[in-house]
Amino acid sequence: MTRFGIEPIYGSTWLVLIATAVVVGVMLWVTPPTANPAHRRRLMWLRGIAGVTLFLAALGPAQIRTDPRTTDATLVVAVDTSRSMTLTDGDGGERWSTQREVWRTLASRLQGIDESLRVALLGYDASAAEVSEPSPASLDQREPEGDRTDLGEALMAAIRGSEGTPLAGVVLLGDGVDTAEPGGPDPQRVAQTLASIGVPLWAVPIGPASDGEESRDVAVEGLPETYDLFAGNELEVAFEVRLRGLAGVDVPVRVSWVDAEGNVEEAATRRATATRAVDTSPLRIPTVVPPPGTYRLKVEAETQPGELVTENNRQIAFAEVREGGGRVLYLEGEPRFEQLFLRRALGGFPDLDLTYQWIPRDTVDRWPVNLGDWFEPGNFDVYILGDLDASAVGEEQLAALAESVAAGAGLITLGGFQTYGTGGYAGSPLAEAMPVRMEAGRRRPPGDRNRDEGAGTVDGAAAGGQIDGPIRPAPAREHPITAIGDDVNATWRDLPPLTGANRLVGPKSAPGVQVLLESDDEAPLLVVGEYGRGRTAALAFDSTYRWWRGGQRERHLRFWRQLMLWVLAREETGDETIRIELDTRRFSADAEPPFRASVQTAAASEPTDEARLVAEVIDEAGRATPVRVGPRVAADGGASAEGSLPQLDPGFYRLRVRDDSADSTLQPAEVAFQVIDDSRELARPMADPVYLSQLAEITGGQGGDTFSPERIDELIDRIAERRRRGETTVVSKSRLGDGPWSGWLLFVLFAAPLSVEWWLRRRWGLA
């Protein structure tokens, strides 16, 4: 609305008129007389123009305009850019696509609402950042990649993003699931801050809530990361299947072997069934181990209708399958130091699978113990009998053990109280398989630990069947078992002495029977032989643990390694290899697990220290990426290195370590691993619209509310209505003389006539 008026000085029109009349009267009265009337008229006209100008300036004519206007303000629209927006929106689409369409509608419609309203676009995940120059197409080339959702930081950034202008409101889009690390701003407290400054929060939840069919999920859990297996064995794959929202539904679960070329062979199928809304089904699925090689063992549950996340439907384990087997059964009757260190040694060899069974002597009233099918041919490759009485196993099972040895299994017997003749083996079915002669007269009652005459023992006082310690075994002949150092005789002399040994009757006179170690008085300490297709070894001692404890761990390992491989008929050549130790084979994308690599012989002898080890990571496409490694001090003094894997994208990889020396003959070593995606965003697939509604309700007194994506038009109308209610009347006026142009005009109209008048008077001689 426009109108015209006057604003005289001091607010009085009469004062202006009186002052003007006085000024004009003075100007006329002081006009000097002149004989020329024309000159007088000119001077009067010039003074009249100056007087009229002065009158107008004092009267203050003005143009006054009144307009209803809204003040400048900023509307912040915050969009969720975390990875959870790649999940379903509950209507068959993707949450990101739905959110993008909501933003496109908002950006297009808000442009014509109010020129004084600035719209700011904010993307938030673990942090928040404003998108410069937002447009309806701002999200078209962007993908949600954040690994966290911090709603508190999003609201704080919205407050900061108003750029000094009043905040008209905040539109918060997303699924409402807050996965932020503890310690950040609390979304509810920030919403309370918005309410306190009069700013509404409008929430737009996207995604299905956690109820009904849409909350279904199947997850395979608890599968071991690695397996060291032997071809042809039966493996029982143990794991759990967690079921949610699938009560009464049978979910098929498959176990498959995936070889190095990617060929898949399905091994077994079972079904998991939940009896409750949320249930966990433990499964144990037997499968036959495939031929030697490197495999992935995949356990996969069939995807069910309504599942939002399917990445957790499967788990992968890595399996190294070896040739021939190295399955060892160790039966012990007395838990002595020897069994502890022997188990530790055998358990450290990657190609030996050790099963240990302790049969306590206080169970004698229940002897013989039923050991199932353990003695059936093919179930184990090596049997070790410790200080165990023959009656604990029984005639029938010892006969089965003898048959297994004849069929090709290995047999190792140790010294002790209840071994050989004292343990009742002289008249047992196993006597024929053992390489030493035994006397039934040395038999002692089961559980009798007295060191009487004829009792063979190792850790104690002398007895008639006992060789007193200290004992230093000496090689009786060259043999792969006793070759545990470069100078064999010197190596055995340097070992810590044994505490004692059984005095064996003597070796059998049979083909293949040999005495490998003997005492100073030439009593046999280690006798080996053959029985059928199997190999046997009889040890008179049981205190090799003293070698380990005396600082000769490597000698201890090498001796037992070479003994085991001999009875397996797999003597090693001692060639050097590279060994890789990776702490974990299945880890998240943000992890950088350490690894170690060393050069060693399979027989645990001293490796070379001249190798220069380098490492690289190879992806599924065969691309190699170098990995930085540093030197590492190895306990055996050999070449060794360590490093950490870099952060990698989810997928399958191989870590390869090789010797970069010019004349190296070492073969590279590889170990496979998996980088998994365990993002919190994908682990919680259901949206939380209730939480967003609660945040918006905190600002309900300022107009805060919740709108579904289908009600965006209502939200736009709400924003427009709020802007209209916030209008103020703005009065603008244009007063003569206030502006630069009108001010200069008045000055010229006043000063110019007076200047010309003065100039004329001087010219005419009137000044």
Side-chain angles (χ1 to χ4, degrees), residues 588-609:
S588 61
D590 58 354
E592 298 181 7
F595 67 88
R596 295 161 297 282
S598 59
V599 178
Q600 57 184 226
T601 63
S605 63
E606 295 85 348
T608 180
D609 59 357

Side-chain angles (χ1 to χ4, degrees), residues 237-515:
V237 184
F239 57 94
E240 293 181 344
V241 179
R242 179 171 50 81
L243 304 170
R244 184 176 66 195
L246 292 164
V249 178
D250 289 337
V251 179
V253 182
R254 290 181 294 274
V255 175
S256 304
W257 296 96
V258 183
D259 63 20
E261 285 72 38
N263 301 314
V264 181
E265 179 181 352
E266 185 172 317
T269 301
R270 294 290 187 275
R271 291 183 177 273
T273 304
T275 58
R276 300 185 299 272
V278 179
D279 202 357
T280 299
S281 297
L283 292 181
R284 305 181 74 89
I285 302 179
T287 178
V288 177
V289 178
T294 300
Y295 295 86
R296 298 177 198 162
L297 180 62
K298 180 171 69 172
V299 177
E300 184 172 16
E302 187 174 289
T303 301
Q304 299 301 300
E307 277 195 89
L308 299 183
V309 176
T310 59
E311 287 80 2
N312 59 357
N313 286 42
R314 66 192 64 84
Q315 266 196 341
I316 299 292
F318 296 93
E320 296 289 337
V321 181
R322 305 177 189 278
E323 180 68 57
R327 297 154 296 184
V328 181
L329 175 61
Y330 180 10
L331 300 178
E332 183 59 83
E334 183 67 23
R336 8 173 224 184
F337 279 123
E338 184 72 354
Q339 62 86 24
L340 177 64
F341 285 86
L342 178 54
R343 289 167 59 192
R344 188 179 300 175
L346 299 183
F349 300 133
D351 55 351
L352 297 180
D353 183 15
L354 176 66
T355 300
Y356 173 74
Q357 179 63 51
W358 174 35
I359 304 177
R361 65 172 181 264
D362 58 6
T363 62
V364 63
D365 57 333
R366 296 193 298 275
W367 288 358
V369 176
N370 183 6
L371 298 176
D373 61 352
W374 280 0
F375 296 120
E376 295 292 328
N379 283 349
F380 288 94
D381 302 291
V382 178
Y383 294 91
I384 301 176
L385 296 181
D387 192 1
L388 181 66
D389 195 277
S391 57
V393 182
E395 296 280 324
E396 185 177 344
Q397 292 184 124
L398 287 176
L401 174 56
E403 291 179 9
S404 292
V405 175
L411 174 65
I412 299 174
T413 54
L414 309 180
F417 280 103
Q418 307 291 150
T419 60
Y420 303 112
T422 59
Y425 288 94
S428 74
L430 194 62
E432 188 177 350
M434 299 170 72
V436 294
R437 291 181 285 115
M438 293 173 287
E439 295 180 353
R442 291 191 177 187
R443 179 73 164 106
R444 64 192 309 161
D448 182 3
R449 315 304 289 177
N450 294 321
R451 293 187 174 94
D452 56 356
E453 183 69 21
T457 185
V458 288
D459 291 328
Q466 164 80 17
I467 303 175
D468 295 333
I471 300 175
R472 295 187 181 276
R477 68 182 67 234
E478 292 185 358
H479 195 276
I481 295 176
T482 57
I484 61 174
D486 295 334
D487 187 335
V488 176
N489 292 321
T491 300
W492 281 97
R493 283 195 305 270
D494 292 341
L495 290 175
L498 304 177
T499 59
N502 291 83
R503 186 173 294 279
L504 301 175
V505 175
K508 286 181 177 178
S509 296
V513 174
Q514 304 177 71
V515 177

Side-chain angles (χ1 to χ4, degrees), residues 78-85 96 99 122-130 142-155 157 172-173 175 177-181 185 679 681:
V79 297
D80 190 345
T81 58
S82 66
R83 297 180 60 194
S84 64
M85 299 307 288
W96 179 253
Q99 181 176 247
L122 190 73
Y124 70 91
D125 38 62
S127 59
E130 186 174 339
R142 188 165 178 172
E143 294 296 332
E145 298 176 344
D147 289 327
R148 297 284 188 273
T149 299
D150 193 335
L151 295 176
E153 177 61 26
L155 295 177
L172 182 63
L173 286 75
D175 54 25
V177 178
D178 194 328
T179 58
E181 296 288 351
S679 169
E681 290 296 299

